[in-house]
Amino acid sequence: MLVLTGAGISTESGIPDFRSPGGLWTRYDPRKLTFDLFCSRLETRRDYWRLATETYPILRDAEPNAAHRAVAEIERAGKLLCLVTQNVDGLHLKAGSSRERTVEIHGSSLRATCIDCGAEHDREQLHRLLLAGKVEVPSCELCGGRVKPATISFGQSMPEKETARAFAAAGDCDLLIVIGSSLVVYPAASLPDVAVKAGASLVIVNNEATPKDDLAAALVRGAAGESMTMLLRGAGLADGAQLSPRS
Ligand code: NAD
Ligand code: ZN
């Protein structure tokens, strides 16, 4: 089974999705923070890091919900081929999904890398420096290059290895479950087409219609946490108690 998740799986963890009114992602103009502008303008890098300093603690401190735990449970039960997430919040890994089977196709906000030499930078340490006003625009101590949160920005090319893995899994799976994605952001939105064409069944768990609903064998229209708890119980994979937060 392949699982594809989007921002809607994390709204119950307090992280707004793309379009929620007033959501963090609606308070800036993505056209002004494209990858090209990040690379070419110091001012854009400053704005980008200002926004990242605002959003990072929210993502870092969020806790996974029942839907993230359900996905981890599917893996523990030996039923998961691959988990592809469009999210940058790290919540699947926090919920117990393994690094080996998780593909963060849009990267992660919890990491930072130098876009010039590829060096990894400690995101938490950068955050403290930014918050204390000691740094406004981080630069790489190894090469003097530009450091960026390890997410894929508008206009930035998709990571090759991760994208290839996601598409290979879509071609190999027998079942694709999509959870909390509007399925309008490409290339991830074409994974259902690839999977169905290769003979897999598609199940979409979302609280509104998506453009891929016609391809689906089943639509579960509701909140991700409750829907996934119900689906797992139905499949005999969990009694529900396992999906409650650990006290
Ligand atoms: P999207 O915001 O386009 O779509 C989310 C979908 O989930 C919507 O159809 C919405 O109605 C639905 N939804 C919201 N809450 C739900 C819930 N509790 N239960 C069921 N459905 C729910 O998200 P997308 O398809 O992932 O595309 C947006 C892009 O923005 C992605 O590239 C993603 O990387 C990025 N993003 C990530 C985060 C995150 O990391 N948590 C948050 C916002 C945006
Ligand atoms: Zn560097």
Side-chain angles (χ1 to χ4, degrees):
M1 175 190 321
L2 168 63
V3 175
L4 168 65
T5 66
I9 197 174
S10 295
T11 54
E12 290 165 65
S13 294
I15 302 172
D17 63 13
F18 218 41
R19 301 116 194 259
S20 308
L24 292 165
W25 280 266
T26 61
R27 284 198 276 118
Y28 73 96
D29 182 352
R31 284 165 304 181
K32 293 193 178 141
L33 294 178
T34 62
F35 186 62
D36 278 352
L37 290 172
F38 182 94
C39 292
S40 58
R41 295 179 75 240
L42 180 65
E43 213 174 281
T44 304
R45 292 202 284 286
R46 185 174 298 126
D47 289 348
Y48 198 103
W49 277 106
R50 244 180 230 148
L51 179 79
T53 304
E54 203 184 320
T55 55
Y56 170 73
I58 298 171
L59 300 174
R60 179 199 58 194
D61 299 339
E63 289 297 334
N65 63 56
H68 298 103
R69 289 191 290 275
V71 177
E73 193 56 40
I74 292 171
E75 182 176 353
R76 270 194 293 274
K79 308 278 184 202
L80 186 82
L81 172 66
C82 184
L83 162 63
V84 176
T85 185
Q86 300 171 83
N87 295 343
V88 296
D89 54 30
L91 286 180
H92 283 296
L93 297 174
K94 239 188 200 177
S97 287
S98 73
R99 273 195 187 282
E100 295 70 49
R101 288 196 190 254
T102 304
V103 177
E104 293 178 316
I105 200 168
H106 292 165
S108 171
S109 282
L110 307 185
R111 291 184 276 114
T113 47
C114 171
I115 57 175
D116 294 294
C117 76
E120 289 263 347
H121 289 255
D122 185 329
R123 182 72 186 85
E124 185 59 31
Q125 197 184 350
L126 282 180
H127 181 67
R128 277 192 229 116
L129 293 172
L130 287 153
L131 212 55
K134 292 188 178 152
V135 167
E136 261 199 319
V137 182
S139 61
C140 177
E141 65 270 17
L142 295 174
C143 76
R146 298 153 295 185
V147 177
K148 182 178 173 297
T151 55
I152 305 301
S153 297
F154 292 92
Q156 187 170 1
S157 52
M158 294 288 292
E160 264 173 47
K161 218 171 70 193
E162 283 79 0
T163 308
R165 260 188 85 191
F167 277 87
D172 280 350
C173 69
D174 52 357
L175 173 65
L176 166 56
I177 303 188
V178 181
I179 311 164
S181 176
S182 58
L183 292 174
V184 296
V185 179
Y186 283 83
S190 53
L191 292 171
D193 302 86
V194 174
V196 168
K197 208 170 169 197
S201 302
L202 171 67
V203 174
I204 299 179
V205 179
N206 207 48
N207 65 8
E208 63 172 10
T210 82
K212 308 290 175 180
D213 285 3
D214 288 348
L215 293 176
L219 298 171
V220 183
R221 194 61 60 74
E226 200 187 339
S227 303
M228 287 308 296
T229 303
M230 203 181 69
L231 280 179
L232 250 67
R233 246 187 241 147
L237 288 182
D239 60 10
Q242 286 164 273
L243 304 179
S244 306
R246 272 175 247 128
S247 50

